[in-house]
Amino acid sequence: MIAIALATLRLRWVSFVGTFVALALGSALMAALGLVLDTTVSSPARPPQRYSAVPVIIAPTQTLTVRGASAPLAEPRGVPADLVAALPDAVVDRVFPAYYLRDGVGRPWSALGLAGQKLHSGRVPATVDEIAVDEGRLGDVVPVVTADGIRQYTIVGIVDKGPQPAVFFTDAQAAALSPRVDALALNRPAAEVRQLVGDRALVLTGQDRARLDANRAPDARARNNAATIVGIALGFAAFVAIFVVASTFAFAVAQRRSEFALLRATGATPGQVRRMVYAEALLVALVAAAAGVLAGPTLGRVLLPFGAPPWITTVSGAVWPQWTAFGTGAAVALLGVSAAAWRASRVRPGEAMRESVVESRIMPPTRWVLGFGVLAFALVTMAITAIDNPAGATNRKSYMPIVMLLVAACGLLAPALVRPLTAPLARLRSATGQVAAASARASARRTAAIAAPVLVTLGLAASLLTASALTDTAKSTMDKPPIAAPATVVPTSAAGLDRELQRALPGAQFSTPTSVYTLEGETVLIRRDAAAVTWVPDDAIMVTPDLDLPLGTLAHVWLADGSPISLRVIGLLPMGAPADILVGAGRAFSALPSVAYVPATTRIPPGHNARFGPASTPSNDASRTGLLVVLAIILGYTTLSLVNTLLMAAPDRAGERRSLHLLGALPGQIHRMAITEVLIAVAIGAVLAAGCAVLAVGGLWLTLLRVTGPLAITVPWPLLAVLTAGTTALAVLTTRCSLLSPRR
């Protein structure tokens, strides 16, 4: 069977070009994305920046520990005062929000050299109204916004640029603006410092000093975003590759029924025929995967800027992504060809002549079972999400697999839907249209194979883009104000609304982001998003229903600074609320409000970095980038699949064209008939894609209905129109090119 498989590959190489390119591209993508993932995960963290020029740092404890469970603290604790007093030779550092020209931090002048910065020009700040900055002109009087409000300062020094924008105050002024000591910097031996500090604080040396850098949290998010992008892209790449391979081999098996019947007639068993088809797929896969793996590192260097954090510029030298991609390519081929191999083994010796004329059975029982099984699984999954966790449907990772399942179900059922969808075409009066429609109905498998790439392209694009817009709308709706207010004031900087501004907004209600910790099962400490609000008393709490805390009961929780407290539950928040918990404004500690709900007549004093309008909801750039990568992968694969399927079908149509010519059809009529037939297949793919999109988006809309109420659905009509036009033009162009081949 290996020899026959090799002979088949030589004779029918056109039938396997699409499979080869699809597997090569898939293997290259998997290897490249695997390298990007390995580079992102295994690359070392950035070296310390804020404290790069000092060997030992004392920092406050950053972890809350309860009964052996621990979680990072949301509210920083200061270094204990007795420890500060015991180390008079330490440099005291305070880091607090300070807005000058852009978001930045304020620090005492004595901390300037901790990152290796130096005074570039001017002099050291000497009075409370003098500052040194890394950008500006000496002698300028400029406003600086801190947590206390706006104050005018004179620039007396220009310093080197540091790891983040900073305003350097006198040590006394920095202490007045932020009494908390955030770190102590020393030039003593680390062992001596640890012995002195004990368990009262953390002693950080080496790479551990980077734990206090401002970019630590963004760097962690960047790594997570890279993993998200790679995961989404890999999942869809594997799905579309399997779809292309399955579609190509299913069509190839349908073309070769006479060949398989002849093999059966000469003594081949069903198992031998099945193994031959598997061997063909495996031989193509091994060569294609090897070619793709060789291109993986080059493609990885191209994709690295799109998937990895910005400070990582070199692809790792790991080899596991190439080996994984090679094995996955072979597995994808075998998985994609499994249904076709089984169908080939079912061909009986006496079927060749009968089935070469007309398809007697469009769908085998297994395809019906698989099609309806996948469809049912997708619908049941949507129903479970709608019942158990409707708010979780806003996560792109939750609905993307459902969209893939729906597209796969439509692809499996497509041959059975060709005849019902083409039934209205029987009313066409033109001979060209009637012949094309009859040919499409008679060759349902071929029509479905041509429609499949259109289904994947338009179905995934319409479903994913519309669902993404719908979830963005849902998130904005879920972030609606928890109280009725004519207007809202939000900060234009990351620090929040300063206290001077708060006093200038009479009648305002404030909401400040914070965290509250709950203990689950006596062993798991969970940090929950919370808000400290002015309309909840400081001895009370409001929670979402999933916390299972009835009204009137005492909730035993830990606040953002780690302090334990018992608060009475006075209300339940609606499902999908942006915060799991609301506590009193007195529980906000050093954090500043992120929104103020104000009367309509309120005026904002100038200079406070605040504006009227809704708070902007941070978008998940990783998921959005992953979605764009997915669409690019889909477009490449489906373009390949469409061209390959049409070229595979061209030899089978030569006999039909000759028969039409003998019956008196002119070359122009034959060309129009062929193009009309392919347009019918494209239209069927578009209709199936629309059905998938309606099911996917409709199910998501009904799921979110429980959380947000009715939502507007925004369909990306211009992009879909471009994709439809491009797919149609590609199909027509490929068909015209195939018609130019010599007649046999």
mmCIF file of all heavy atoms in Angstrom, residues 407-452:
data_model
loop_
_atom_site.group_PDB
_atom_site.id
_atom_site.type_symbol
_atom_site.label_atom_id
_atom_site.label_comp_id
_atom_site.label_asym_id
_atom_site.label_seq_id
_atom_site.Cartn_x
_atom_site.Cartn_y
_atom_site.Cartn_z
ATOM 1 N N VAL A 407 -19.256 26.237 13.126
ATOM 2 C CA VAL A 407 -18.736 26.199 11.756
ATOM 3 C C VAL A 407 -18.441 24.760 11.344
ATOM 4 O O VAL A 407 -18.747 24.337 10.213
ATOM 5 C CB VAL A 407 -17.479 27.079 11.635
ATOM 6 C CG1 VAL A 407 -16.798 26.866 10.292
ATOM 7 C CG2 VAL A 407 -17.853 28.543 11.803
ATOM 8 N N ALA A 408 -17.852 23.974 12.257
ATOM 9 C CA ALA A 408 -17.568 22.571 11.945
ATOM 10 C C ALA A 408 -18.860 21.798 11.686
ATOM 11 O O ALA A 408 -18.922 20.972 10.765
ATOM 12 C CB ALA A 408 -16.789 21.933 13.094
ATOM 13 N N ALA A 409 -19.897 22.065 12.490
ATOM 14 C CA ALA A 409 -21.177 21.377 12.288
ATOM 15 C C ALA A 409 -21.775 21.716 10.929
ATOM 16 O O ALA A 409 -22.258 20.830 10.204
ATOM 17 C CB ALA A 409 -22.146 21.743 13.412
ATOM 18 N N CYS A 410 -21.750 22.983 10.563
ATOM 19 C CA CYS A 410 -22.279 23.382 9.249
ATOM 20 C C CYS A 410 -21.459 22.758 8.123
ATOM 21 O O CYS A 410 -22.014 22.353 7.088
ATOM 22 C CB CYS A 410 -22.282 24.900 9.117
ATOM 23 S SG CYS A 410 -23.583 25.710 10.061
ATOM 24 N N GLY A 411 -20.148 22.678 8.304
ATOM 25 C CA GLY A 411 -19.314 22.055 7.284
ATOM 26 C C GLY A 411 -19.632 20.580 7.114
ATOM 27 O O GLY A 411 -19.661 20.059 5.994
ATOM 28 N N LEU A 412 -19.890 19.891 8.230
ATOM 29 C CA LEU A 412 -20.230 18.474 8.150
ATOM 30 C C LEU A 412 -21.590 18.248 7.491
ATOM 31 O O LEU A 412 -21.785 17.275 6.753
ATOM 32 C CB LEU A 412 -20.225 17.864 9.556
ATOM 33 C CG LEU A 412 -18.840 17.681 10.205
ATOM 34 C CD1 LEU A 412 -18.986 17.366 11.684
ATOM 35 C CD2 LEU A 412 -18.071 16.570 9.497
ATOM 36 N N LEU A 413 -22.527 19.122 7.746
ATOM 37 C CA LEU A 413 -23.887 18.964 7.214
ATOM 38 C C LEU A 413 -24.074 19.629 5.857
ATOM 39 O O LEU A 413 -25.159 19.516 5.268
ATOM 40 C CB LEU A 413 -24.896 19.543 8.210
ATOM 41 C CG LEU A 413 -24.945 18.873 9.588
ATOM 42 C CD1 LEU A 413 -25.878 19.641 10.515
ATOM 43 C CD2 LEU A 413 -25.400 17.428 9.471
ATOM 44 N N ALA A 414 -23.056 20.323 5.352
ATOM 45 C CA ALA A 414 -23.210 21.096 4.121
ATOM 46 C C ALA A 414 -23.697 20.278 2.929
ATOM 47 O O ALA A 414 -24.586 20.725 2.195
ATOM 48 C CB ALA A 414 -21.887 21.802 3.794
ATOM 49 N N PRO A 415 -23.167 19.062 2.659
ATOM 50 C CA PRO A 415 -23.653 18.335 1.481
ATOM 51 C C PRO A 415 -25.159 18.080 1.510
ATOM 52 O O PRO A 415 -25.814 18.123 0.462
ATOM 53 C CB PRO A 415 -22.867 17.021 1.535
ATOM 54 C CG PRO A 415 -21.620 17.363 2.273
ATOM 55 C CD PRO A 415 -22.032 18.361 3.301
ATOM 56 N N ALA A 416 -25.709 17.824 2.697
ATOM 57 C CA ALA A 416 -27.144 17.575 2.786
ATOM 58 C C ALA A 416 -27.958 18.846 2.603
ATOM 59 O O ALA A 416 -29.156 18.773 2.299
ATOM 60 C CB ALA A 416 -27.476 16.941 4.139
ATOM 61 N N LEU A 417 -27.333 19.999 2.785
ATOM 62 C CA LEU A 417 -28.062 21.260 2.671
ATOM 63 C C LEU A 417 -27.980 21.860 1.271
ATOM 64 O O LEU A 417 -28.657 22.848 0.990
ATOM 65 C CB LEU A 417 -27.497 22.267 3.685
ATOM 66 C CG LEU A 417 -27.627 21.872 5.162
ATOM 67 C CD1 LEU A 417 -26.879 22.858 6.038
ATOM 68 C CD2 LEU A 417 -29.086 21.798 5.577
ATOM 69 N N VAL A 418 -27.149 21.272 0.401
ATOM 70 C CA VAL A 418 -26.984 21.845 -0.937
ATOM 71 C C VAL A 418 -28.292 21.806 -1.708
ATOM 72 O O VAL A 418 -28.730 22.818 -2.286
ATOM 73 C CB VAL A 418 -25.867 21.104 -1.697
ATOM 74 C CG1 VAL A 418 -25.886 21.497 -3.174
ATOM 75 C CG2 VAL A 418 -24.507 21.427 -1.092
ATOM 76 N N ARG A 419 -28.950 20.653 -1.748
ATOM 77 C CA ARG A 419 -30.165 20.531 -2.549
ATOM 78 C C ARG A 419 -31.297 21.416 -2.033
ATOM 79 O O ARG A 419 -31.964 22.089 -2.838
ATOM 80 C CB ARG A 419 -30.581 19.068 -2.630
ATOM 81 C CG ARG A 419 -29.609 18.249 -3.486
ATOM 82 C CD ARG A 419 -29.975 16.791 -3.576
ATOM 83 N NE ARG A 419 -28.998 16.068 -4.402
ATOM 84 C CZ ARG A 419 -29.004 14.752 -4.583
ATOM 85 N NH1 ARG A 419 -29.942 14.001 -4.001
ATOM 86 N NH2 ARG A 419 -28.084 14.187 -5.337
ATOM 87 N N PRO A 420 -31.572 21.459 -0.711
ATOM 88 C CA PRO A 420 -32.622 22.397 -0.257
ATOM 89 C C PRO A 420 -32.300 23.856 -0.569
ATOM 90 O O PRO A 420 -33.201 24.622 -0.926
ATOM 91 C CB PRO A 420 -32.666 22.147 1.254
ATOM 92 C CG PRO A 420 -32.115 20.786 1.447
ATOM 93 C CD PRO A 420 -31.099 20.602 0.385
ATOM 94 N N LEU A 421 -31.023 24.227 -0.470
ATOM 95 C CA LEU A 421 -30.661 25.622 -0.712
ATOM 96 C C LEU A 421 -30.703 25.988 -2.192
ATOM 97 O O LEU A 421 -30.866 27.164 -2.541
ATOM 98 C CB LEU A 421 -29.258 25.903 -0.150
ATOM 99 C CG LEU A 421 -29.141 25.894 1.381
ATOM 100 C CD1 LEU A 421 -27.692 26.054 1.811
ATOM 101 C CD2 LEU A 421 -29.992 26.989 2.010
ATOM 102 N N THR A 422 -30.516 25.002 -3.053
ATOM 103 C CA THR A 422 -30.558 25.289 -4.488
ATOM 104 C C THR A 422 -31.940 25.060 -5.093
ATOM 105 O O THR A 422 -32.122 25.290 -6.298
ATOM 106 C CB THR A 422 -29.532 24.416 -5.232
ATOM 107 O OG1 THR A 422 -29.781 23.028 -4.923
ATOM 108 C CG2 THR A 422 -28.114 24.787 -4.832
ATOM 109 N N ALA A 423 -32.907 24.594 -4.292
ATOM 110 C CA ALA A 423 -34.250 24.326 -4.824
ATOM 111 C C ALA A 423 -34.876 25.555 -5.484
ATOM 112 O O ALA A 423 -35.492 25.437 -6.555
ATOM 113 C CB ALA A 423 -35.151 23.787 -3.717
ATOM 114 N N PRO A 424 -34.754 26.771 -4.893
ATOM 115 C CA PRO A 424 -35.361 27.937 -5.562
ATOM 116 C C PRO A 424 -34.779 28.225 -6.944
ATOM 117 O O PRO A 424 -35.425 28.883 -7.755
ATOM 118 C CB PRO A 424 -35.059 29.088 -4.591
ATOM 119 C CG PRO A 424 -34.842 28.434 -3.270
ATOM 120 C CD PRO A 424 -34.186 27.126 -3.587
ATOM 121 N N LEU A 425 -33.567 27.718 -7.221
ATOM 122 C CA LEU A 425 -32.950 28.001 -8.515
ATOM 123 C C LEU A 425 -33.599 27.225 -9.656
ATOM 124 O O LEU A 425 -33.306 27.469 -10.822
ATOM 125 C CB LEU A 425 -31.452 27.669 -8.460
ATOM 126 C CG LEU A 425 -30.639 28.448 -7.414
ATOM 127 C CD1 LEU A 425 -29.193 27.996 -7.442
ATOM 128 C CD2 LEU A 425 -30.735 29.945 -7.661
ATOM 129 N N ALA A 426 -34.457 26.251 -9.313
ATOM 130 C CA ALA A 426 -35.146 25.498 -10.365
ATOM 131 C C ALA A 426 -36.059 26.393 -11.192
ATOM 132 O O ALA A 426 -36.446 26.038 -12.308
ATOM 133 C CB ALA A 426 -35.945 24.355 -9.746
ATOM 134 N N ARG A 427 -36.402 27.560 -10.653
ATOM 135 C CA ARG A 427 -37.291 28.477 -11.371
ATOM 136 C C ARG A 427 -36.548 29.357 -12.380
ATOM 137 O O ARG A 427 -37.183 30.171 -13.058
ATOM 138 C CB ARG A 427 -38.021 29.369 -10.366
ATOM 139 C CG ARG A 427 -38.861 28.577 -9.360
ATOM 140 C CD ARG A 427 -39.509 29.523 -8.350
ATOM 141 N NE ARG A 427 -40.269 28.777 -7.355
ATOM 142 C CZ ARG A 427 -40.922 29.352 -6.318
ATOM 143 N NH1 ARG A 427 -40.869 30.679 -6.181
ATOM 144 N NH2 ARG A 427 -41.575 28.612 -5.467
ATOM 145 N N LEU A 428 -35.227 29.220 -12.430
ATOM 146 C CA LEU A 428 -34.484 30.032 -13.390
ATOM 147 C C LEU A 428 -34.917 29.700 -14.819
ATOM 148 O O LEU A 428 -35.149 28.538 -15.170
ATOM 149 C CB LEU A 428 -32.978 29.779 -13.232
ATOM 150 C CG LEU A 428 -32.335 30.261 -11.923
ATOM 151 C CD1 LEU A 428 -30.882 29.812 -11.854
ATOM 152 C CD2 LEU A 428 -32.425 31.778 -11.809
ATOM 153 N N ARG A 429 -35.025 30.712 -15.640
ATOM 154 C CA ARG A 429 -35.479 30.519 -17.012
ATOM 155 C C ARG A 429 -34.334 30.320 -17.993
ATOM 156 O O ARG A 429 -34.509 29.695 -19.033
ATOM 157 C CB ARG A 429 -36.322 31.727 -17.445
ATOM 158 C CG ARG A 429 -37.612 31.860 -16.648
ATOM 159 C CD ARG A 429 -38.458 33.013 -17.178
ATOM 160 N NE ARG A 429 -39.707 33.125 -16.426
ATOM 161 C CZ ARG A 429 -40.654 34.039 -16.687
ATOM 162 N NH1 ARG A 429 -40.472 34.919 -17.684
ATOM 163 N NH2 ARG A 429 -41.743 34.078 -15.967
ATOM 164 N N SER A 430 -33.152 30.866 -17.692
ATOM 165 C CA SER A 430 -32.042 30.743 -18.627
ATOM 166 C C SER A 430 -31.498 29.323 -18.615
ATOM 167 O O SER A 430 -31.463 28.650 -17.576
ATOM 168 C CB SER A 430 -30.931 31.725 -18.269
ATOM 169 O OG SER A 430 -30.329 31.366 -17.042
ATOM 170 N N ALA A 431 -31.074 28.890 -19.787
ATOM 171 C CA ALA A 431 -30.516 27.544 -19.893
ATOM 172 C C ALA A 431 -29.235 27.421 -19.075
ATOM 173 O O ALA A 431 -28.993 26.399 -18.419
ATOM 174 C CB ALA A 431 -30.240 27.221 -21.360
ATOM 175 N N THR A 432 -28.425 28.469 -19.099
ATOM 176 C CA THR A 432 -27.170 28.447 -18.339
ATOM 177 C C THR A 432 -27.439 28.269 -16.849
ATOM 178 O O THR A 432 -26.817 27.440 -16.179
ATOM 179 C CB THR A 432 -26.381 29.744 -18.576
ATOM 180 O OG1 THR A 432 -26.074 29.855 -19.967
ATOM 181 C CG2 THR A 432 -25.092 29.748 -17.770
ATOM 182 N N GLY A 433 -28.385 29.039 -16.326
ATOM 183 C CA GLY A 433 -28.714 28.943 -14.916
ATOM 184 C C GLY A 433 -29.289 27.595 -14.550
ATOM 185 O O GLY A 433 -28.970 27.021 -13.495
ATOM 186 N N GLN A 434 -30.163 27.050 -15.388
ATOM 187 C CA GLN A 434 -30.768 25.758 -15.093
ATOM 188 C C GLN A 434 -29.724 24.649 -15.074
ATOM 189 O O GLN A 434 -29.715 23.792 -14.186
ATOM 190 C CB GLN A 434 -31.855 25.453 -16.124
ATOM 191 C CG GLN A 434 -33.106 26.306 -15.983
ATOM 192 C CD GLN A 434 -34.157 25.954 -17.025
ATOM 193 O OE1 GLN A 434 -33.897 25.205 -17.956
ATOM 194 N NE2 GLN A 434 -35.350 26.507 -16.860
ATOM 195 N N VAL A 435 -28.824 24.657 -16.068
ATOM 196 C CA VAL A 435 -27.778 23.630 -16.111
ATOM 197 C C VAL A 435 -26.845 23.753 -14.904
ATOM 198 O O VAL A 435 -26.469 22.750 -14.283
ATOM 199 C CB VAL A 435 -26.990 23.721 -17.426
ATOM 200 C CG1 VAL A 435 -25.797 22.771 -17.409
ATOM 201 C CG2 VAL A 435 -27.892 23.400 -18.602
ATOM 202 N N ALA A 436 -26.466 24.986 -14.572
ATOM 203 C CA ALA A 436 -25.570 25.193 -13.432
ATOM 204 C C ALA A 436 -26.221 24.747 -12.130
ATOM 205 O O ALA A 436 -25.591 24.084 -11.297
ATOM 206 C CB ALA A 436 -25.171 26.663 -13.352
ATOM 207 N N ALA A 437 -27.497 25.095 -11.938
ATOM 208 C CA ALA A 437 -28.195 24.694 -10.722
ATOM 209 C C ALA A 437 -28.344 23.185 -10.648
ATOM 210 O O ALA A 437 -28.159 22.561 -9.589
ATOM 211 C CB ALA A 437 -29.559 25.377 -10.660
ATOM 212 N N ALA A 438 -28.684 22.551 -11.791
ATOM 213 C CA ALA A 438 -28.821 21.098 -11.801
ATOM 214 C C ALA A 438 -27.495 20.420 -11.503
ATOM 215 O O ALA A 438 -27.433 19.419 -10.780
ATOM 216 C CB ALA A 438 -29.366 20.648 -13.155
ATOM 217 N N SER A 439 -26.400 20.956 -12.061
ATOM 218 C CA SER A 439 -25.082 20.389 -11.805
ATOM 219 C C SER A 439 -24.689 20.532 -10.339
ATOM 220 O O SER A 439 -24.116 19.618 -9.747
ATOM 221 C CB SER A 439 -24.044 21.077 -12.694
ATOM 222 O OG SER A 439 -22.750 20.569 -12.444
ATOM 223 N N ALA A 440 -25.003 21.687 -9.748
ATOM 224 C CA ALA A 440 -24.690 21.892 -8.329
ATOM 225 C C ALA A 440 -25.455 20.919 -7.450
ATOM 226 O O ALA A 440 -24.917 20.374 -6.481
ATOM 227 C CB ALA A 440 -25.008 23.328 -7.932
ATOM 228 N N ARG A 441 -26.730 20.670 -7.788
ATOM 229 C CA ARG A 441 -27.533 19.735 -6.992
ATOM 230 C C ARG A 441 -27.058 18.305 -7.188
ATOM 231 O O ARG A 441 -26.987 17.520 -6.242
ATOM 232 C CB ARG A 441 -29.008 19.853 -7.375
ATOM 233 C CG ARG A 441 -29.683 21.125 -6.897
ATOM 234 C CD ARG A 441 -31.202 20.994 -6.966
ATOM 235 N NE ARG A 441 -31.645 20.742 -8.342
ATOM 236 C CZ ARG A 441 -31.900 21.692 -9.230
ATOM 237 N NH1 ARG A 441 -31.747 22.965 -8.873
ATOM 238 N NH2 ARG A 441 -32.304 21.396 -10.453
ATOM 239 N N ALA A 442 -26.729 17.950 -8.439
ATOM 240 C CA ALA A 442 -26.322 16.569 -8.716
ATOM 241 C C ALA A 442 -24.969 16.240 -8.087
ATOM 242 O O ALA A 442 -24.718 15.093 -7.718
ATOM 243 C CB ALA A 442 -26.266 16.341 -10.223
ATOM 244 N N SER A 443 -24.092 17.230 -7.990
ATOM 245 C CA SER A 443 -22.763 17.020 -7.393
ATOM 246 C C SER A 443 -22.696 17.766 -6.066
ATOM 247 O O SER A 443 -21.926 18.722 -5.894
ATOM 248 C CB SER A 443 -21.668 17.509 -8.352
ATOM 249 O OG SER A 443 -21.771 16.868 -9.601
ATOM 250 N N ALA A 444 -23.521 17.320 -5.119
ATOM 251 C CA ALA A 444 -23.645 18.042 -3.844
ATOM 252 C C ALA A 444 -22.344 18.042 -3.062
ATOM 253 O O ALA A 444 -21.999 19.027 -2.409
ATOM 254 C CB ALA A 444 -24.769 17.436 -3.009
ATOM 255 N N ARG A 445 -21.601 16.927 -3.122
ATOM 256 C CA ARG A 445 -20.344 16.889 -2.367
ATOM 257 C C ARG A 445 -19.348 17.897 -2.926
ATOM 258 O O ARG A 445 -18.648 18.571 -2.175
ATOM 259 C CB ARG A 445 -19.739 15.486 -2.419
ATOM 260 C CG ARG A 445 -20.553 14.427 -1.698
ATOM 261 C CD ARG A 445 -19.705 13.190 -1.464
ATOM 262 N NE ARG A 445 -20.560 12.028 -1.251
ATOM 263 C CZ ARG A 445 -20.696 11.043 -2.119
ATOM 264 N NH1 ARG A 445 -20.020 11.078 -3.254
ATOM 265 N NH2 ARG A 445 -21.483 10.026 -1.866
ATOM 266 N N ARG A 446 -19.265 17.949 -4.257
ATOM 267 C CA ARG A 446 -18.355 18.902 -4.876
ATOM 268 C C ARG A 446 -18.776 20.336 -4.556
ATOM 269 O O ARG A 446 -17.946 21.187 -4.224
ATOM 270 C CB ARG A 446 -18.331 18.693 -6.390
ATOM 271 C CG ARG A 446 -17.381 19.644 -7.116
ATOM 272 C CD ARG A 446 -17.362 19.321 -8.604
ATOM 273 N NE ARG A 446 -18.677 19.526 -9.192
ATOM 274 C CZ ARG A 446 -19.108 18.888 -10.286
ATOM 275 N NH1 ARG A 446 -18.338 17.993 -10.871
ATOM 276 N NH2 ARG A 446 -20.306 19.140 -10.781
ATOM 277 N N THR A 447 -20.057 20.621 -4.630
ATOM 278 C CA THR A 447 -20.549 21.964 -4.312
ATOM 279 C C THR A 447 -20.253 22.310 -2.862
ATOM 280 O O THR A 447 -19.833 23.431 -2.549
ATOM 281 C CB THR A 447 -22.058 22.036 -4.578
ATOM 282 O OG1 THR A 447 -22.314 21.662 -5.934
ATOM 283 C CG2 THR A 447 -22.581 23.434 -4.337
ATOM 284 N N ALA A 448 -20.462 21.344 -1.962
ATOM 285 C CA ALA A 448 -20.188 21.592 -0.542
ATOM 286 C C ALA A 448 -18.708 21.820 -0.297
ATOM 287 O O ALA A 448 -18.322 22.640 0.544
ATOM 288 C CB ALA A 448 -20.692 20.421 0.295
ATOM 289 N N ALA A 449 -17.849 21.098 -1.045
ATOM 290 C CA ALA A 449 -16.406 21.282 -0.882
ATOM 291 C C ALA A 449 -15.976 22.680 -1.303
ATOM 292 O O ALA A 449 -15.091 23.283 -0.688
ATOM 293 C CB ALA A 449 -15.660 20.232 -1.701
ATOM 294 N N ILE A 450 -16.598 23.210 -2.367
ATOM 295 C CA ILE A 450 -16.274 24.577 -2.794
ATOM 296 C C ILE A 450 -16.843 25.591 -1.811
ATOM 297 O O ILE A 450 -16.231 26.635 -1.537
ATOM 298 C CB ILE A 450 -16.817 24.820 -4.214
ATOM 299 C CG1 ILE A 450 -16.142 23.873 -5.209
ATOM 300 C CG2 ILE A 450 -16.598 26.267 -4.643
ATOM 301 C CD1 ILE A 450 -16.751 23.894 -6.593
ATOM 302 N N ALA A 451 -18.019 25.289 -1.254
ATOM 303 C CA ALA A 451 -18.654 26.214 -0.308
ATOM 304 C C ALA A 451 -17.945 26.244 1.040
ATOM 305 O O ALA A 451 -18.037 27.235 1.771
ATOM 306 C CB ALA A 451 -20.117 25.836 -0.118
ATOM 307 N N ALA A 452 -17.236 25.161 1.390
ATOM 308 C CA ALA A 452 -16.631 25.068 2.722
ATOM 309 C C ALA A 452 -15.662 26.203 3.035
ATOM 310 O O ALA A 452 -15.731 26.806 4.122
ATOM 311 C CB ALA A 452 -15.951 23.712 2.881
#
